Amino acid sequence: MRLVAAEYRRCYSQCDFDKTVLFAGMQELLSEICKQGVSVFLVTNKPLLPTRRILEKLAVDHFLDIITPDIEAGKNMHKKEMVAYLMKKCQLEKEEVVLIGDSASDV
C-alpha cells in the first residue's frame, strides 16, 4: 500500500492540473479582498509543491499564504484541526476568521 501511495504522490506532483479551474469571479474577489488589507490563507492537506503549482497556474498564488499541515506539522489533519492550527500559528481569534470552502465537506 505504501508503494501505491508513493506512486500516486509522484504522479500527482508531476500532473499539469489542466482540469483545475477557479470558480467564476474568484480572481476578482481575491484581488478585492487583498486590496482591503485582508489576509487570505489557503489551508489544505495537499502537498505544498503541487499546491504552489496549481495556484501559479491559476494566477492566484500572489493572493494567498499557503498553510499545508503535511509540511508544517508533519501530518495530515481534519478540516477543523487545520483551521485551529492556522488560528494558533497566526494568532487569530475565531471572530477574525471566515472559512470559505470549495466542497460540502469543508463546512
Side-chain angles (χ1 to χ4, degrees):
M1 190 59 162
R2 288 180 194 213
L3 291 174
V4 171
E7 180 62 15
Y8 171 80
R9 282 189 212 99
R10 187 188 70 74
C11 290
Y12 184 80
S13 68
Q14 295 175 358
C15 175
D16 64 3
F17 305 106
D18 61 332
K19 296 192 185 324
T20 304
V21 296
L22 285 176
F23 289 127
M26 284 307 300
Q27 192 154 34
E28 296 81 7
L29 176 64
L30 289 168
S31 177
E32 184 59 34
I33 289 171
C34 290
K35 281 180 192 173
Q36 294 179 21
V38 175
S39 296
V40 180
F41 301 92
L42 172 68
V43 181
T44 181
N45 271 318
K46 286 184 174 75
L48 180 60
L49 294 179
T51 299
R52 279 191 178 146
R53 287 183 55 225
I54 292 168
L55 296 175
E56 288 168 2
K57 177 191 174 285
L58 299 173
V60 295
D61 54 309
H62 56 286
F63 294 127
L64 308 164
D65 289 320
I66 305 169
I67 305 293
T68 56
D70 72 307
I71 298 294
E72 309 226 358
K75 64 175 185 167
N76 282 351
M77 298 179 189
H78 294 287
K79 307 253 188 292
K80 189 175 181 178
E81 290 177 298
M82 287 192 289
V83 173
Y85 177 81
L86 166 69
M87 290 173 63
K88 182 177 180 180
K89 178 178 177 158
C90 298
Q91 300 177 355
L92 301 169
E93 298 296 326
K94 71 178 185 175
E95 296 81 15
E96 300 175 292
V97 177
V98 176
L99 172 65
I100 301 171
D102 63 356
S103 69
S105 66
D106 288 338
V107 208

